[in-house]
Amino acid sequence: MSLKKMDFRKAFAVLFVLIFSVTAALPAISASAITDKSSRTEYSYSQNAFYCKPYIFDIAWNISDQTEKLYSSKKIALSDKVSMNVWYSDDLKTNMSDKNVVSALSDVLNSIKADSPELSKPAVLDIKNLGDASPEELIKRYYKDENIIYYAAVLPFADSKTQQAYLKKAYDEYSAGFFTVSLDTLENAGLTKKYLGKAYKDGQIAFFSICLDKLEDVLNDKDFGALVNTYAEKAYKDSPLAFFAVLSDRMDRDTVGAWFDRAVKDGKVAFASDFDDYWDDFDDYWADFDDAWNDFNDKWSSYENYVNSSDYAKYGVTYKDGHYFYNKEPVRYFLDVQRSDSSAKIATVETNPKGNVSIKIVRDKNGNITGVEKLTAKEIKKYFGDVEY
């Protein structure tokens, strides 16, 4: 049996990814339609909202050849004296004949092409006239309606005070999606560092990771590496494994090796095990890892002597499909610390965001299981870093 590790990078992946692209299956005309047989063609396209006062446009890009046959098209003149063919549904015919709408759409298309010249074949899916509503009024409306696409489109046009107010609001209300959009809009490294520190202090791992990703994009390698190392030292000292795992995912090869050696030397097995995902990529480092791990096992005996699934089962703890269960209830946080002497620990730590109970295995001084107890809030903070799902 190998040492189990708590892979927070996988556990939180769903929380950290904000996707504005959509995959759709739309009806398409095919040769089989001649014989009264229907068919559908599935394809992928990108869709975003774009704001040009007083209009907001829903625009899809890279529509399929089959789908374009279902729409009308119009050439829109761009500022570079070329035209772009744009498709639209019949219910937008009146809008597409309005010179004010077309002018605003031309401005939007110019902006898009400047940022992403590779995009082609746009289809206008919807056009909304927002009248005299200010960007600040619209931000309030779209945040309340949880319309993150429209929120993202209008936010850059709001004043800085409003942008920062909604950044704080999204953080305070645990809205990772709106927080990410707000942070991207502000593009303020100093402010991002401030929220990085706040997220660490508050135990908000999702927001910590969002800020870290943003800073990785804007800082040079040296400054970002120093920032990661500063927080890694904090996490290593304070023992929140979740934060350390997020940080270790941003480390280079040499730093990974140094932290692993340090964790093994210090007897912090849970920290050392955090690096096991790297070894598939670092083949030439594998030998060092293997030797160090064998030395560790020789000193404190084999992990198999401490963890036995049949022993767990006697106390209602089972393991299935990668997760622990206690009396058939999925376990949210699982801890089993096995002591081999007074100076070292070997631990099993697992997390499951869909779990209902949090437990620890209780052992006597000889390492024998004597029972199961619920984890306290203090223990969860110590071993799991106040993880929020």
Side-chain angles (χ1 to χ4, degrees), residues 184-203:
D184 286 341
T185 299
L186 283 161
E187 295 185 339
N188 186 319
L191 187 62
T192 304
K193 287 182 179 180
K194 175 184 174 182
Y195 273 96
L196 182 75
K198 180 174 176 57
Y200 182 87
K201 181 180 179 181
D202 295 343

Side-chain angles (χ1 to χ4, degrees), residues 15-16 18 20 143 148 151-152 155 163-200 202 204-215:
L15 287 178
F16 301 154
L18 182 63
F20 293 120
Y143 186 92
I148 196 167
Y151 176 89
L155 188 62
Q163 292 173 349
Q164 293 195 40
Y166 275 88
L167 176 70
K168 182 179 185 303
K169 184 177 179 66
Y171 181 90
D172 292 341
E173 296 179 358
Y174 309 106
S175 179
F178 283 93
F179 180 81
T180 301
V181 170
S182 299
L183 206 60
D184 286 341
T185 299
L186 283 161
E187 295 185 339
N188 186 319
L191 187 62
T192 304
K193 287 182 179 180
K194 175 184 174 182
Y195 273 96
L196 182 75
K198 180 174 176 57
Y200 182 87
D202 295 343
Q204 295 293 336
I205 186 69
F207 292 95
F208 183 83
S209 183
I210 291 168
C211 292
L212 203 61
D213 285 341
K214 182 62 179 176
L215 290 168

Side-chain angles (χ1 to χ4, degrees), residues 5-51:
K5 72 176 282 288
M6 181 168 50
D7 192 341
F8 290 93
R9 282 158 289 183
K10 295 177 182 177
F12 295 106
V14 175
L15 287 178
F16 301 154
V17 179
L18 182 63
I19 301 175
F20 293 120
S21 296
V22 293
T23 300
L26 298 182
I29 300 172
S30 67
S32 61
I34 299 175
T35 57
D36 295 326
K37 295 179 180 179
S38 62
S39 65
R40 292 171 67 86
T41 300
E42 184 174 306
Y43 65 97
S44 297
Y45 68 97
S46 296
Q47 179 183 344
N48 285 87
F50 302 90
Y51 178 65

